[in-house]
Amino acid sequence: KGRGILTKHGNFVQVRPAPLAMRLAADWWSKCSPEKAARLIEGDIPDRLAEALCERVRVLDNVPAVREFVAGLCGEQRPFGQAKVLNSELGSRLFRSLVEVNPEATAKALKRTFAGWTIDELKNVGPGRRNLVWALEKLCFWQSTFPTAGPVLLVLAAAENEDWGNNATGIFIGLFKVVLSGTQAEPTQ
């Protein structure tokens, strides 16, 4: 604390130098068991801590162990392979951060989770919908994940229940602009 490396904010301590904080976070996530991560994700943690967790995870895309860990979290019987977690406020927010760490695994998880849902079921996607739409927007940008994420965004747009301009419908339409489209994917894709 005396050197300014750690600062206290209420009940929390923050590591100040970003490179050190990223290194410590990468070490923690690479050693964290899926069960412990599931308890963390599904547990009741304070909003500020959850937001800090999401922001830290988002920048760990260059750590192979973290990418593999995210792929494990997105498995069929894992937290981010289940609609219950993806449709929760915290689960969807954390998932949105994980999209940047491992786009391929997260796109497959969304497709697997929501592929068989009817339009009426998709209309009832509630607390996590905003974050899922934003996650799909990121996934549709990359050419490699567009074929997997695009159809999921399309069915969410077909089951639209929001009035925002950046709802699933608005984002889906933005993918098909002639100039400055919202994706790297070729028009044929």
Side-chain angles (χ1 to χ4, degrees):
K1 282 183 183 179
R3 295 171 128 181
I5 294 173
L6 300 176
T7 57
K8 188 170 182 176
H9 300 281
N11 293 331
F12 305 106
V13 176
Q14 182 179 21
V15 178
R16 292 308 273 166
L20 178 59
M22 289 171 48
R23 174 58 191 234
L24 292 172
D27 287 347
W28 187 87
W29 277 101
S30 64
K31 295 174 185 157
C32 179
S33 70
E35 293 77 22
K36 185 174 182 178
R39 285 194 309 270
L40 176 68
I41 294 161
E42 295 169 355
D44 188 27
I45 63 174
D47 291 342
R48 286 182 57 211
L49 184 58
E51 193 64 31
L53 174 68
C54 293
E55 286 305 309
R56 187 59 64 207
V57 167
R58 187 178 63 80
V59 297
L60 298 176
D61 61 319
N62 62 338
V63 181
V66 178
R67 288 180 56 81
E68 290 174 23
F69 182 75
V70 169
L73 284 176
C74 292
E76 196 167 331
Q77 299 302 318
R78 290 301 187 194
F80 295 114
Q82 301 175 22
K84 172 185 155 188
V85 173
L86 291 174
N87 195 27
S88 69
E89 185 65 36
L90 176 60
S92 65
R93 173 61 187 94
L94 187 52
F95 182 80
R96 190 177 90 193
S97 297
L98 297 180
V99 161
E100 296 182 40
V101 177
N102 194 332
E104 292 78 15
T106 53
K108 288 176 186 174
L110 282 175
K111 182 177 181 179
R112 185 178 55 250
T113 303
F114 295 110
W117 287 36
T118 66
I119 297 295
D120 289 332
E121 290 172 326
L122 288 168
K123 284 183 180 180
N124 292 323
V125 172
R129 186 179 181 94
R130 275 287 72 216
N131 287 316
L132 291 176
V133 169
W134 288 332
L136 283 163
E137 179 180 23
K138 292 176 186 179
L139 291 170
C140 285
F141 176 77
W142 293 301
Q143 186 172 4
S144 62
T145 54
F146 179 83
T148 307
V152 179
L153 183 60
L154 175 62
V155 295
L156 273 179
E160 192 62 74
N161 64 4
E162 296 180 318
D163 294 330
W164 304 101
N166 65 344
N167 59 16
T169 303
I171 290 173
F172 189 77
I173 289 170
L175 298 176
F176 299 98
K177 292 181 181 178
V178 176
V179 178
L180 297 176
S181 71
T183 182
Q184 293 175 336
E186 298 294 326
T188 56
Q189 281 187 289

